Amino acid sequence: MMQHTPLVDPFARAITYLRVSVTDRCDFRCVYCMAENMTFLPKRDLLTLEELDRLCSAFIRLGVRKLRITGGEPLVRRDIMTFFNAMGRHLDNGTLEELTLTTNGSQLEKFASGLYAAGVRRVNVSLDTLDNDKFARVTRWGRLDQVMRGLDAAQAAGLRVKINTVALKGFNEDELFALVAWCAARGMDLTFIEVMPMGDLGNEQRIDQYWSLKDVRARLAERYCLLDLAERTGGPARYVRLTETGQKIGFITPLSHNFCESCNRVRVTCTGEIYTCLGQEDRADLRAPLRAAPDDDAPLVAAIRDAVADKPKGHDFDYSRQRADGQVSRHMSHTGG
Ligand code: SF4
């Protein structure tokens, strides 16, 4: 029985949304996320595809209704479609409402139709600029035309696409209206993500390009009529509709406190660590209980329940405790609402 009682934290918040990273690897090296020479985790540290299946399935039995797959870049994980297809069974039997992913778009040309067949209906694609040179600069290894082909494939396959754009002063400020118009023309929603000024990224480029979303919003309001939407996702995103285009524009301000009371989510890293709060470093290990009992999910469920029982009431964003090696900013760039 205990195994099936829904997950509710001590502040009466039901946990219905799970974000799971399936790899720390990526085929891009975005300057705000990774150093150019990255050392990735040894394979044995990562949850296997079977372990990821057991983990996600346990959360779904415990009441998770939305599952978002992230990375690194989730589509560079070998055989990842096996995992998406396996999760499709939870969509088929109605226990899972939504299976989505956040991706850099580089592999969508190859995987879009397979994702649709697995039951994915929406994808978030991270894209900060529509300029070839700037795109190559910010992603280092990425090429814009590859992502554009991925977007074409995604839309041709029937996937709804939302673009996630990190707002960077002096980088894509001049593209605000171009991005909005491009998304409107393609029928895509657009969400801006605010980043905090971070320190040096491993002696690499310094990101001191803080562009406040208040300012983004004010500039949009100069040209469009913004209608606030009541819609809440249980996360940090706020949405408006542009009356002129009908398009939904989101704003993600990871530092805001004002969604804590409705927070419905936890996230799990590719090594099986569960983080129960966006802004705190508190975490617990789910890999050990997964591996300790390969045929019995009871220890895993107990560990999940313990972690959720400790979910903090709110976050304080104590940056002094966070590392300046890109972990935090990557998390933000993939917060995704
Ligand atoms: S921000 Fe995303 S696309 Fe860029 S390097 Fe990080 S994981 Fe890859």
Side-chain angles (χ1 to χ4, degrees):
M1 279 308 95
M2 185 57 188
Q3 285 236 16
H4 297 280
T5 318
L7 281 177
V8 179
D9 77 5
F11 306 98
R13 297 170 299 192
I15 305 303
T16 57
Y17 181 121
L18 172 67
R19 308 171 58 85
V20 178
S21 166
V22 294
T23 180
D24 61 330
R25 285 160 206 262
C26 187
D27 51 349
F28 292 0
R29 290 290 180 278
C30 298
V31 294
Y32 50 71
C33 175
M34 291 188 184
E36 186 143 25
N37 300 309
M38 292 291 291
T39 309
F40 292 106
L41 295 164
K43 195 164 168 247
R44 65 176 177 278
D45 287 358
L46 299 190
L47 298 186
T48 65
L49 294 180
E50 294 73 27
E51 287 166 345
L52 284 167
D53 188 326
R54 283 177 59 206
L55 176 99
C56 295
S57 300
F59 271 103
I60 292 164
R61 282 199 303 278
L62 295 173
V64 160
R65 293 291 166 260
K66 293 192 177 184
L67 178 59
R68 176 174 295 279
I69 307 306
T70 70
E73 168 50 44
L75 297 178
V76 302
R77 170 96 193 230
R78 187 200 294 237
D79 291 334
I80 194 61
M81 289 312 298
T82 307
F83 171 76
F84 276 103
N85 286 326
M87 288 300 104
R89 73 183 185 271
H90 299 300
L91 293 167
D92 292 343
N93 69 22
T95 47
L96 184 64
E97 278 167 22
E98 187 173 57
L99 174 63
T100 53
L101 67 152
T102 300
T103 170
N104 65 22
S106 67
Q107 306 300 314
L108 279 176
E109 189 176 19
K110 189 164 155 200
F111 291 119
S113 52
L115 289 167
Y116 190 90
V120 174
R121 292 294 175 265
R122 295 195 307 147
V123 290
N124 286 1
V125 179
S126 309
L127 182 94
D128 301 333
T129 174
L130 294 171
D131 178 279
N132 284 313
D133 293 341
K134 278 157 75 175
F135 188 86
R137 227 185 324 135
V138 76
T139 63
R140 291 203 191 94
W141 295 3
R143 293 301 169 258
L144 185 59
D145 58 343
Q146 186 185 358
V147 174
M148 290 296 172
R149 289 198 305 274
L151 291 173
D152 291 343
Q155 293 192 298
L159 297 170
R160 271 195 68 77
V161 176
K162 181 165 76 100
I163 300 294
N164 281 346
T165 299
V166 177
L168 295 167
K169 200 171 198 71
F171 180 76
N172 55 15
E173 241 181 321
D174 55 336
E175 292 187 74
L176 175 62
F177 295 115
L179 279 160
V180 169
W182 175 72
C183 286
R186 295 193 62 133
M188 304 184 298
D189 290 324
L190 170 62
T191 289
F192 291 99
I193 299 169
E194 187 173 272
V195 288
M196 282 305 285
M198 302 295 293
D200 287 320
L201 298 180
N203 295 330
E204 302 269 333
Q205 185 172 347
R206 187 178 166 79
I207 300 295
D208 51 4
Q209 299 173 301
Y210 175 67
W211 182 15
S212 106
L213 292 194
K214 262 204 185 97
D215 188 48
V216 174
R217 199 191 147 109
R219 282 191 50 204
L220 277 175
E222 288 168 12
R223 203 172 291 190
Y224 295 101
C225 184
L226 274 49
L227 188 69
D228 278 304
L229 299 179
E231 180 180 332
R232 290 286 170 90
T233 60
R238 289 287 168 274
Y239 295 98
V240 298
R241 194 172 295 287
L242 304 189
T243 314
E244 291 82 352
T245 63
Q247 197 178 1
K248 213 166 79 171
I249 304 279
F251 301 96
I252 295 181
T253 317
L255 295 191
S256 73
H257 282 248
N258 54 11
F259 61 92
C260 294
E261 75 284 350
S262 63
C263 182
N264 61 356
R265 55 195 57 197
V266 296
R267 81 188 158 94
V268 176
T269 67
C270 57
T271 58
E273 286 187 313
I274 178 170
Y275 284 74
T276 54
C277 178
L278 205 59
Q280 293 189 17
E281 294 290 292
D282 302 344
R283 57 182 183 266
D285 177 33
L286 300 179
R287 189 179 61 195
L290 266 168
R291 291 191 176 167
D295 300 316
D296 177 10
D297 286 343
L300 170 67
V301 169
I304 292 173
R305 287 196 186 286
D306 283 352
V308 168
D310 281 344
K311 183 170 163 70
K313 185 167 184 202
H315 52 257
D316 55 8
F317 279 103
D318 178 357
Y319 275 87
S320 62
R321 289 191 302 157
Q322 297 180 341
R323 296 173 293 178
D325 62 1
Q327 291 294 322
V328 177
S329 57
R330 170 174 58 182
H331 166 206
M332 287 180 182
S333 72
H334 282 175
T335 298

PDB file of all heavy atoms in Angstrom, residues 25-30 32-34 71-73 104 126 139 330 333-334, ligand 1:
ATOM      1  N   ARG A  25      26.539  14.642 -20.937  1.00  0.00           N
ATOM      2  CA  ARG A  25      27.229  14.987 -22.186  1.00  0.00           C
ATOM      3  C   ARG A  25      26.403  15.885 -23.085  1.00  0.00           C
ATOM      4  O   ARG A  25      25.182  15.895 -22.987  1.00  0.00           O
ATOM      5  CB  ARG A  25      27.565  13.701 -22.967  1.00  0.00           C
ATOM      6  CG  ARG A  25      28.718  12.978 -22.360  1.00  0.00           C
ATOM      7  CD  ARG A  25      28.762  11.531 -22.780  1.00  0.00           C
ATOM      8  NE  ARG A  25      29.456  10.801 -21.732  1.00  0.00           N
ATOM      9  CZ  ARG A  25      30.743  10.476 -21.779  1.00  0.00           C
ATOM     10  NH1 ARG A  25      31.459  10.756 -22.838  1.00  0.00           N
ATOM     11  NH2 ARG A  25      31.308   9.866 -20.763  1.00  0.00           N
ATOM     12  N   CYS A  26      27.109  16.547 -23.974  1.00  0.00           N
ATOM     13  CA  CYS A  26      26.426  17.399 -24.931  1.00  0.00           C
ATOM     14  C   CYS A  26      27.303  17.531 -26.156  1.00  0.00           C
ATOM     15  O   CYS A  26      28.528  17.452 -26.060  1.00  0.00           O
ATOM     16  CB  CYS A  26      26.162  18.785 -24.328  1.00  0.00           C
ATOM     17  SG  CYS A  26      25.133  19.803 -25.403  1.00  0.00           S
ATOM     18  N   ASP A  27      26.689  17.742 -27.295  1.00  0.00           N
ATOM     19  CA  ASP A  27      27.460  17.960 -28.521  1.00  0.00           C
ATOM     20  C   ASP A  27      27.724  19.445 -28.759  1.00  0.00           C
ATOM     21  O   ASP A  27      28.338  19.810 -29.756  1.00  0.00           O
ATOM     22  CB  ASP A  27      26.769  17.297 -29.725  1.00  0.00           C
ATOM     23  CG  ASP A  27      25.304  17.686 -29.851  1.00  0.00           C
ATOM     24  OD1 ASP A  27      24.753  18.299 -28.897  1.00  0.00           O
ATOM     25  OD2 ASP A  27      24.701  17.383 -30.891  1.00  0.00           O
ATOM     26  N   PHE A  28      27.233  20.310 -27.874  1.00  0.00           N
ATOM     27  CA  PHE A  28      27.579  21.726 -27.898  1.00  0.00           C
ATOM     28  C   PHE A  28      28.437  22.026 -26.662  1.00  0.00           C
ATOM     29  O   PHE A  28      28.530  21.201 -25.748  1.00  0.00           O
ATOM     30  CB  PHE A  28      26.336  22.618 -27.850  1.00  0.00           C
ATOM     31  CG  PHE A  28      25.462  22.577 -29.087  1.00  0.00           C
ATOM     32  CD1 PHE A  28      25.762  21.782 -30.180  1.00  0.00           C
ATOM     33  CD2 PHE A  28      24.328  23.374 -29.147  1.00  0.00           C
ATOM     34  CE1 PHE A  28      24.943  21.758 -31.312  1.00  0.00           C
ATOM     35  CE2 PHE A  28      23.500  23.357 -30.268  1.00  0.00           C
ATOM     36  CZ  PHE A  28      23.801  22.546 -31.342  1.00  0.00           C
ATOM     37  N   ARG A  29      28.998  23.220 -26.646  1.00  0.00           N
ATOM     38  CA  ARG A  29      29.769  23.657 -25.474  1.00  0.00           C
ATOM     39  C   ARG A  29      29.400  25.107 -25.163  1.00  0.00           C
ATOM     40  O   ARG A  29      30.246  26.004 -25.197  1.00  0.00           O
ATOM     41  CB  ARG A  29      31.285  23.578 -25.768  1.00  0.00           C
ATOM     42  CG  ARG A  29      31.855  22.177 -25.890  1.00  0.00           C
ATOM     43  CD  ARG A  29      31.877  21.472 -24.541  1.00  0.00           C
ATOM     44  NE  ARG A  29      32.432  20.125 -24.633  1.00  0.00           N
ATOM     45  CZ  ARG A  29      31.758  19.045 -25.020  1.00  0.00           C
ATOM     46  NH1 ARG A  29      30.489  19.160 -25.369  1.00  0.00           N
ATOM     47  NH2 ARG A  29      32.337  17.872 -25.067  1.00  0.00           N
ATOM     48  N   CYS A  30      28.117  25.332 -24.909  1.00  0.00           N
ATOM     49  CA  CYS A  30      27.676  26.710 -24.690  1.00  0.00           C
ATOM     50  C   CYS A  30      28.512  27.386 -23.614  1.00  0.00           C
ATOM     51  O   CYS A  30      28.803  26.784 -22.575  1.00  0.00           O
ATOM     52  CB  CYS A  30      26.207  26.739 -24.317  1.00  0.00           C
ATOM     53  SG  CYS A  30      25.165  26.080 -25.628  1.00  0.00           S
ATOM     54  N   TYR A  32      27.994  29.591 -21.441  1.00  0.00           N
ATOM     55  CA  TYR A  32      27.456  29.782 -20.095  1.00  0.00           C
ATOM     56  C   TYR A  32      27.195  28.464 -19.387  1.00  0.00           C
ATOM     57  O   TYR A  32      26.692  28.442 -18.274  1.00  0.00           O
ATOM     58  CB  TYR A  32      26.181  30.631 -20.119  1.00  0.00           C
ATOM     59  CG  TYR A  32      25.137  30.181 -21.123  1.00  0.00           C
ATOM     60  CD1 TYR A  32      24.422  29.005 -20.903  1.00  0.00           C
ATOM     61  CD2 TYR A  32      24.900  30.900 -22.280  1.00  0.00           C
ATOM     62  CE1 TYR A  32      23.477  28.577 -21.821  1.00  0.00           C
ATOM     63  CE2 TYR A  32      23.952  30.479 -23.193  1.00  0.00           C
ATOM     64  CZ  TYR A  32      23.244  29.315 -22.955  1.00  0.00           C
ATOM     65  OH  TYR A  32      22.322  28.882 -23.866  1.00  0.00           O
ATOM     66  N   CYS A  33      27.520  27.361 -20.047  1.00  0.00           N
ATOM     67  CA  CYS A  33      27.180  26.055 -19.485  1.00  0.00           C
ATOM     68  C   CYS A  33      28.405  25.196 -19.252  1.00  0.00           C
ATOM     69  O   CYS A  33      28.536  24.556 -18.215  1.00  0.00           O
ATOM     70  CB  CYS A  33      26.222  25.340 -20.423  1.00  0.00           C
ATOM     71  SG  CYS A  33      25.809  23.667 -19.951  1.00  0.00           S
ATOM     72  N   MET A  34      29.281  25.142 -20.225  1.00  0.00           N
ATOM     73  CA  MET A  34      30.390  24.195 -20.152  1.00  0.00           C
ATOM     74  C   MET A  34      31.702  24.867 -20.539  1.00  0.00           C
ATOM     75  O   MET A  34      31.709  25.810 -21.328  1.00  0.00           O
ATOM     76  CB  MET A  34      30.167  23.036 -21.130  1.00  0.00           C
ATOM     77  CG  MET A  34      29.029  22.128 -20.755  1.00  0.00           C
ATOM     78  SD  MET A  34      29.007  20.686 -21.836  1.00  0.00           S
ATOM     79  CE  MET A  34      27.511  19.883 -21.242  1.00  0.00           C
ATOM     80  N   GLY A  71      19.337  17.043 -20.088  1.00  0.00           N
ATOM     81  CA  GLY A  71      20.725  16.588 -20.095  1.00  0.00           C
ATOM     82  C   GLY A  71      21.556  17.553 -19.283  1.00  0.00           C
ATOM     83  O   GLY A  71      21.024  18.150 -18.344  1.00  0.00           O
ATOM     84  N   GLY A  72      22.725  17.822 -19.766  1.00  0.00           N
ATOM     85  CA  GLY A  72      23.368  17.645 -21.085  1.00  0.00           C
ATOM     86  C   GLY A  72      22.356  17.695 -22.222  1.00  0.00           C
ATOM     87  O   GLY A  72      21.350  18.352 -22.131  1.00  0.00           O
ATOM     88  N   GLU A  73      22.699  17.030 -23.282  1.00  0.00           N
ATOM     89  CA  GLU A  73      21.775  16.921 -24.404  1.00  0.00           C
ATOM     90  C   GLU A  73      21.210  15.495 -24.383  1.00  0.00           C
ATOM     91  O   GLU A  73      21.943  14.545 -24.657  1.00  0.00           O
ATOM     92  CB  GLU A  73      22.509  17.224 -25.711  1.00  0.00           C
ATOM     93  CG  GLU A  73      21.738  16.868 -26.968  1.00  0.00           C
ATOM     94  CD  GLU A  73      20.306  17.411 -26.967  1.00  0.00           C
ATOM     95  OE1 GLU A  73      20.097  18.576 -26.585  1.00  0.00           O
ATOM     96  OE2 GLU A  73      19.389  16.651 -27.333  1.00  0.00           O
ATOM     97  N   ASN A 104      18.852  20.754 -27.343  1.00  0.00           N
ATOM     98  CA  ASN A 104      19.458  21.846 -28.112  1.00  0.00           C
ATOM     99  C   ASN A 104      19.072  21.750 -29.594  1.00  0.00           C
ATOM    100  O   ASN A 104      19.478  22.586 -30.394  1.00  0.00           O
ATOM    101  CB  ASN A 104      20.988  21.872 -27.937  1.00  0.00           C
ATOM    102  CG  ASN A 104      21.681  20.653 -28.514  1.00  0.00           C
ATOM    103  OD1 ASN A 104      21.149  19.969 -29.394  1.00  0.00           O
ATOM    104  ND2 ASN A 104      22.887  20.371 -28.030  1.00  0.00           N
ATOM    105  N   SER A 126      16.382  24.852 -26.899  1.00  0.00           N
ATOM    106  CA  SER A 126      17.173  25.989 -26.427  1.00  0.00           C
ATOM    107  C   SER A 126      17.852  26.655 -27.615  1.00  0.00           C
ATOM    108  O   SER A 126      18.571  25.990 -28.366  1.00  0.00           O
ATOM    109  CB  SER A 126      18.250  25.505 -25.440  1.00  0.00           C
ATOM    110  OG  SER A 126      17.667  24.702 -24.442  1.00  0.00           O
ATOM    111  N   THR A 139      27.575  28.681 -28.757  1.00  0.00           N
ATOM    112  CA  THR A 139      27.516  27.227 -28.535  1.00  0.00           C
ATOM    113  C   THR A 139      28.870  26.555 -28.786  1.00  0.00           C
ATOM    114  O   THR A 139      29.027  25.373 -28.539  1.00  0.00           O
ATOM    115  CB  THR A 139      26.504  26.549 -29.485  1.00  0.00           C
ATOM    116  OG1 THR A 139      26.951  26.733 -30.828  1.00  0.00           O
ATOM    117  CG2 THR A 139      25.108  27.124 -29.323  1.00  0.00           C
ATOM    118  N   ARG A 330      23.801  25.995 -16.105  1.00  0.00           N
ATOM    119  CA  ARG A 330      23.227  25.000 -16.995  1.00  0.00           C
ATOM    120  C   ARG A 330      21.830  24.637 -16.506  1.00  0.00           C
ATOM    121  O   ARG A 330      20.890  24.540 -17.271  1.00  0.00           O
ATOM    122  CB  ARG A 330      24.063  23.731 -17.044  1.00  0.00           C
ATOM    123  CG  ARG A 330      23.298  22.629 -17.787  1.00  0.00           C
ATOM    124  CD  ARG A 330      24.107  21.391 -18.013  1.00  0.00           C
ATOM    125  NE  ARG A 330      24.567  20.845 -16.770  1.00  0.00           N
ATOM    126  CZ  ARG A 330      25.337  19.770 -16.715  1.00  0.00           C
ATOM    127  NH1 ARG A 330      25.759  19.202 -17.796  1.00  0.00           N
ATOM    128  NH2 ARG A 330      25.724  19.300 -15.558  1.00  0.00           N
ATOM    129  N   SER A 333      19.615  27.301 -17.552  1.00  0.00           N
ATOM    130  CA  SER A 333      19.322  27.366 -18.973  1.00  0.00           C
ATOM    131  C   SER A 333      18.343  26.269 -19.354  1.00  0.00           C
ATOM    132  O   SER A 333      17.701  26.334 -20.379  1.00  0.00           O
ATOM    133  CB  SER A 333      20.590  27.249 -19.802  1.00  0.00           C
ATOM    134  OG  SER A 333      21.087  25.939 -19.756  1.00  0.00           O
ATOM    135  N   HIS A 334      18.237  25.269 -18.523  1.00  0.00           N
ATOM    136  CA  HIS A 334      17.327  24.176 -18.812  1.00  0.00           C
ATOM    137  C   HIS A 334      16.175  24.106 -17.826  1.00  0.00           C
ATOM    138  O   HIS A 334      15.556  23.065 -17.686  1.00  0.00           O
ATOM    139  CB  HIS A 334      18.098  22.859 -18.818  1.00  0.00           C
ATOM    140  CG  HIS A 334      18.868  22.678 -20.082  1.00  0.00           C
ATOM    141  ND1 HIS A 334      19.718  21.645 -20.292  1.00  0.00           N
ATOM    142  CD2 HIS A 334      18.896  23.418 -21.204  1.00  0.00           C
ATOM    143  CE1 HIS A 334      20.247  21.752 -21.488  1.00  0.00           C
ATOM    144  NE2 HIS A 334      19.771  22.822 -22.064  1.00  0.00           N
TER     145      HIS A 334
HETATM  146  S1  SF4 B   1      23.445  24.807 -22.555  1.00  0.00           S
HETATM  147 FE1  SF4 B   1      22.555  22.934 -23.350  1.00  0.00          FE
HETATM  148  S2  SF4 B   1      23.252  22.855 -25.521  1.00  0.00           S
HETATM  149 FE2  SF4 B   1      24.574  24.260 -24.452  1.00  0.00          FE
HETATM  150  S3  SF4 B   1      26.343  23.036 -23.768  1.00  0.00           S
HETATM  151 FE3  SF4 B   1      24.857  23.144 -22.057  1.00  0.00          FE
HETATM  152  S4  SF4 B   1      23.657  21.307 -22.278  1.00  0.00           S
HETATM  153 FE4  SF4 B   1      24.681  21.658 -24.259  1.00  0.00          FE
END
